[in-house]
Amino acid sequence: MNKLEFTKIIKEVVSQSAIDDTLETLNDPPGRNPDKKLLVQSEWFKGLNGPFEFKRIEWLELPNRIGHKPYENAPTQFKTQDLSRIIEQLNVIGSFEIDSDSESITIYGYKP
């Protein structure tokens, strides 16, 4: 195992552990008297786990490129996502009106 493989494995294990701990905390805030802010976050998160009626979602816009700064004063880093794969998966589960351009796709759930 070389340094690169070791670093990759550590990142995967640490990332997955952090994700698991966060999900556990959001699903069941710890302690007898959890912080009120955490309880609000937990209720919000639990509400996301169920299905939404399409008429409650007017539209979603998904960019194909997102910029973020990993720390203050850092140069902006960009990540891209393959929007064609998202469109393929949407076509498998249903029929959605979709607008697209070079920068994003807009998926309509409900138009009044």
Side-chain angles (χ1 to χ4, degrees), residues 21-87:
D21 289 348
T22 301
L23 291 174
E24 183 178 333
T25 299
L26 285 170
N27 279 311
D28 187 20
R32 287 188 224 170
N33 190 15
D35 181 70
K36 288 181 183 178
K37 184 177 177 183
L38 182 56
L39 289 173
V40 169
Q41 291 171 341
S42 175
E43 288 306 311
W44 172 82
F45 178 75
K46 288 176 185 176
L48 295 177
N49 288 335
F52 288 94
E53 296 177 63
F54 290 141
K55 69 180 182 180
R56 300 186 116 203
I57 302 173
E58 292 184 28
W59 54 268
L60 297 170
E61 183 175 16
L62 305 175
N64 67 356
R65 185 175 177 212
I66 299 172
H68 74 284
K69 294 185 178 212
Y71 55 89
E72 192 175 337
N73 298 325
T76 302
Q77 296 179 1
F78 293 94
K79 290 194 170 204
T80 59
Q81 58 184 352
D82 183 4
L83 297 177
S84 63
R85 290 188 63 213
I86 294 170
I87 293 171

